[in-house]
Amino acid sequence: MSESTPRRPAYNRLLDRAVRILGVRDHSEQELRRKLMAPVMGKKGPEEIDASAEDYDRVIAWCYEHNYLDDNRFIARFIASRSRKGYGPQRIRQELNQKGINREATERAMRECEIDWCEQAREQAVRKYGEPLPKEFSEKVKIQRFLLYRGYLMEDIQDIWRNFAD
């Protein structure tokens, strides 16, 4: 663009950017706001968008209105995605909290998801340590530390040896 060519309004540029961002994957409202406020890389380096707070609010409202942005859908997909990658409920809750999702919505989605966390913890342990799982205390502690790091609850970890005794 030349200097004499007028730029598109900030609202239109933000709206295009929001649709591109949400076209890749679902985001929480907080994530989307953060990405929209980040500088855009231009030919001359990072460029600030000269948008007002009203512009950001209008873009977010438009995304909700047209179903591009839906926190409940985001939470459900995030839980499914992270659980498939082997993460437990505590880690998922923590990550959702960091993404700006409130605790009530997270807990409701965790109750509604039909994931057997004990079975999932066992699958992760078997994948890492092999079948059959060790019975010695020192080996059990290694597995417990690994699963705690992955975000599983101690009761689910202990149920591995109770419920799946060979």
Side-chain angles (χ1 to χ4, degrees):
M1 282 185 158
S2 67
E3 293 299 319
S4 62
T5 309
R7 294 198 72 173
R8 292 181 19 208
Y11 171 76
N12 291 344
R13 288 183 290 142
L14 282 174
L15 191 57
D16 289 346
R17 192 170 177 198
V19 170
R20 272 196 320 274
I21 290 169
L22 293 170
V24 175
R25 70 167 176 86
D26 282 328
H27 288 68
S28 67
E29 180 180 336
Q30 180 180 325
E31 275 185 307
L32 181 61
R33 280 186 188 276
R34 182 181 46 78
K35 286 186 176 184
L36 289 176
M37 291 180 180
V40 179
M41 287 304 289
K43 293 178 182 175
K44 299 175 186 172
E47 298 175 2
E48 294 291 329
I49 294 181
D50 55 342
S52 67
E54 294 170 1
D55 290 332
Y56 289 106
D57 292 339
R58 284 178 47 211
V59 167
I60 296 296
W62 186 92
C63 290
Y64 273 121
E65 182 180 321
H66 290 86
N67 222 12
Y68 280 91
L69 193 60
D70 181 355
D71 279 349
N72 292 326
R73 181 179 64 214
F74 167 74
I75 295 168
R77 288 183 178 175
F78 188 83
I79 290 171
S81 169
R82 298 305 278 170
S83 67
R84 279 192 307 271
K85 291 181 180 178
Y87 293 103
Q90 286 302 99
R91 176 101 174 239
I92 293 171
R93 282 183 183 99
Q94 178 185 13
E95 290 176 0
L96 284 168
N97 185 35
Q98 291 171 350
K99 293 183 179 297
I101 303 298
N102 66 40
R103 186 172 300 203
E104 295 79 28
T106 299
E107 290 307 317
R108 184 177 56 250
M110 292 297 265
R111 282 190 305 273
E112 291 172 1
C113 77
E114 298 178 1
I115 299 171
D116 182 358
W117 295 109
C118 183
E119 176 62 31
Q120 191 127 6
R122 184 179 191 288
E123 288 173 9
Q124 287 301 307
V126 167
R127 184 178 296 152
K128 177 123 175 128
Y129 295 98
E131 186 87 53
L133 289 175
K135 302 282 187 213
E136 310 81 53
F137 180 77
S138 61
E139 292 298 314
K140 280 184 179 181
V141 169
K142 278 186 194 176
I143 294 172
Q144 285 180 347
R145 272 197 311 264
F146 168 71
L147 292 173
L148 284 170
Y149 168 76
R150 299 290 284 194
Y152 290 96
L153 300 170
M154 184 55 92
E155 62 192 36
D156 293 335
I157 296 169
Q158 291 173 342
D159 281 348
I160 292 173
W161 282 276
R162 261 183 262 153
N163 295 338
F164 300 102
D166 295 327

